[in-house]
Amino acid sequence: MSIGTNIKKLRRERDITQEQLAELLHITPSAISQWETDRVLPDISYLPKLANIFRVSADVILGIDIESRDARIDEIYREVRELWCTGQRNEAERLCREGLAEFPDAYILMEELAFNLSYSNERAAQEESIALFERIRTGSNDDVAKNFAVGNLCSLYMAVGKPDVAKQLAESVPTLIYTKQQCRRMTLRGKDWADEVRSQTAIFFDEFIWELRNLLNAFRNGHPLFTDEEVIVLRKKIIAFVELFYEDGDSGFNRQLLSEAHFCLAVLYAKLGQTDNALNELEAMLREVEEFDSYSDGMLGNHVVLPPEKWPTSLLIRPTGPDDPRLAMTNSSPTTENSAMDYLRQLSDKRLDSIRETERFQAVEARLRETARE
């Protein structure tokens, strides 16, 4: 309905005449008549007064159904996430853009589009991503969304050759004395407190182990901080940390850390001419790949909640029950291809040429080809 129709409907529901409404607003009855017949729109300054008189929000007068709007945005968001997770990136981007055309301030859709554009190497996509993240940073009321935007903007400004802007933005982030989690923990006692601490321990471990992995992965052809021999030591630490933390071997999606570490060790050992060690690591990689593909079967590329038979049992990560938030996964993988397919492709790495013709290498390759799935 139009604004005029809404005013007329609300006036009649409150049993107010045009003359009475005009008197309350200190205007003429003919002005009210012109509003209600849509010949003239009310000045924006009258919206708060009309909202108070009718005891509704200004959105109701403007004909904006907030609940329906939010429900529609949430529906679009879920569809977008499903498309991203099943590899339909162009379709997901199209749906994001259509959603933003309909709801220009839908920051959750803005974030999805900006984040995925940020992965592009094209300057136009990076600039668009920056513009979207800047809108989130300056316009959103969600502190988490604003913080996420700042983090991505720092990276994007570096990518487009604006390091001074990136550093200035990074310095603008406030230093907090207590995090939300720390404040929450202060309000808990007994078992609730212990469970919160255990949950945070698991989160801290994930952050630590993935940061170590990122530190090593950032440099493919020689690390500026470590020799190849030292990188081997650190790769082995990743394996040791995961196995120590997940004493029951139930590392779930973190098992990808193990297969990747073994593969990287195989490459390093091949480079150093240690053939047996390289082949041992490739075979260890294969075992982890098969374990992971068995565990993740049916969950790749989807929004999933872990079924009870796949709940972890290790002491620091086992859930307290079906409502434990640690069981909820935003998405298990950005693609539906399994790990075997990924590592079959990675075996073409030229750094493995020195062991490619061995029987053990070819056995690993054959097994991956046998189980690979797109």
Side-chain angles (χ1 to χ4, degrees):
M1 290 189 292
S2 67
I3 294 175
T5 302
N6 288 333
I7 292 173
K8 183 176 182 179
K9 176 176 178 292
L10 290 165
R11 178 179 61 76
R12 287 180 171 177
E13 286 177 354
R14 301 303 184 275
D15 196 24
I16 300 173
T17 66
Q18 287 186 343
E19 289 75 13
Q20 288 171 328
L21 181 57
E23 185 178 351
L24 289 170
L25 295 172
H26 305 292
I27 58 177
T28 65
S30 64
I32 302 296
S33 177
Q34 287 184 315
W35 289 354
E36 293 185 355
T37 54
D38 290 319
R39 286 196 291 269
V40 176
L41 287 173
D43 187 272
I44 193 170
S45 63
Y46 286 107
L47 284 179
K49 299 174 184 178
L50 287 167
N52 286 329
I53 291 169
F54 296 142
R55 297 181 183 178
V56 297
S57 70
D59 292 323
V60 174
I61 298 171
L62 294 171
I64 301 172
D65 186 337
I66 296 297
E67 290 187 5
S68 296
R69 173 188 180 279
D70 290 348
R72 176 58 183 147
I73 291 173
D74 188 56
E75 179 185 2
I76 295 171
Y77 171 73
R78 290 197 303 271
E79 291 178 23
V80 166
R81 291 301 304 156
E82 186 65 27
L83 289 168
W84 288 134
C85 293
T86 53
Q88 302 176 67
R89 302 181 67 84
N90 291 337
E91 187 65 15
E93 182 177 327
R94 179 193 63 77
L95 188 57
C96 256
R97 294 187 185 280
E98 288 180 358
L100 286 169
E102 184 177 358
F103 306 106
D105 62 342
Y107 291 109
I108 192 170
L109 299 180
M110 207 178 295
E111 181 178 280
E112 283 295 304
L113 180 57
F115 184 62
N116 283 278
L117 287 172
S118 71
Y119 278 93
S120 174
N121 291 322
E122 296 181 3
R123 182 62 177 259
Q126 292 172 335
E127 293 286 0
E128 184 180 7
S129 180
I130 287 173
L132 290 167
F133 275 129
E134 283 289 5
R135 286 177 60 191
I136 296 169
R137 182 178 74 87
T138 58
S140 175
N141 292 322
D142 185 330
D143 288 339
V144 174
K146 290 164 76 78
N147 184 264
F148 184 72
V150 169
N152 280 278
L153 282 168
C154 289
S155 176
L156 282 162
Y157 279 127
M158 292 295 293
V160 300
K162 297 181 178 179
D164 292 341
V165 179
K167 291 174 182 177
Q168 183 179 7
L169 192 58
E171 291 297 326
S172 73
V173 178
T175 300
L176 302 177
I177 298 176
Y178 294 114
T179 65
K180 178 180 178 180
Q181 289 78 13
Q182 289 171 325
C183 291
R184 170 181 163 76
R185 193 164 63 200
M186 293 174 190
T187 70
L188 302 174
R189 297 292 184 273
K191 182 180 180 300
D192 290 338
W193 176 87
D195 188 61
E196 180 71 12
V197 172
R198 183 179 64 166
S199 176
Q200 288 304 309
T201 300
I203 292 172
F204 294 153
F205 171 78
D206 267 355
E207 290 177 349
F208 159 71
I209 200 67
W210 281 96
E211 283 289 49
L212 175 55
R213 174 258 190 192
N214 293 338
L215 170 64
L216 299 180
N217 281 9
F219 303 94
R220 177 182 172 86
N221 299 313
H223 203 286
L225 299 181
F226 311 112
T227 65
D228 286 345
E229 289 79 3
E230 289 171 335
V231 172
I232 286 174
V233 172
L234 292 174
R235 291 287 181 189
K236 288 182 176 180
K237 284 186 183 294
I238 289 177
I239 296 170
F241 281 134
V242 172
E243 291 178 344
L244 179 66
F245 196 80
Y246 297 95
E247 72 275 2
D248 289 347
D250 52 351
S251 51
F253 287 96
N254 274 349
R255 190 173 288 277
Q256 296 169 100
L257 287 165
L258 298 176
S259 55
E260 181 184 70
H262 285 300
F263 177 79
C264 292
L265 283 169
V267 169
L268 286 168
Y269 279 132
K271 178 182 177 181
L272 295 172
Q274 300 181 31
T275 300
D276 283 343
N277 284 338
L279 292 169
N280 288 340
E281 294 298 337
L282 274 188
E283 289 166 348
M285 175 210 75
L286 177 61
R287 290 192 295 272
E288 296 300 339
V289 165
E290 292 184 332
E291 286 284 347
F292 176 73
D293 283 346
S294 174
Y295 171 82
S296 62
D297 186 42
M299 294 194 289
L300 291 178
N302 297 307
H303 299 269
V304 299
V305 174
L306 295 179
E309 64 271 16
K310 294 187 177 181
W311 286 5
T313 59
S314 290
L315 296 176
L316 290 174
I317 59 167
R318 62 188 180 192
T320 56
D323 296 327
D324 193 309
R326 285 167 292 180
L327 294 175
M329 307 290 289
T330 52
N331 64 282
S332 56
S333 171
T335 176
T336 54
E337 75 173 26
N338 66 359
S339 229
M341 174 62 74
D342 180 32
Y343 281 100
L344 179 61
R345 186 163 49 244
Q346 291 196 54
L347 283 186
S348 63
D349 193 313
K350 292 185 180 300
R351 294 173 295 177
L352 295 173
D353 285 352
S354 64
I355 60 173
R356 193 173 305 282
E357 301 304 319
T358 64
E359 183 177 338
R360 291 169 66 187
F361 181 97
Q362 292 175 2
V364 169
E365 187 175 38
R367 180 59 183 163
L368 289 174
R369 186 174 291 109
E370 179 183 337
T371 58
R373 188 186 72 244
E374 292 187 11

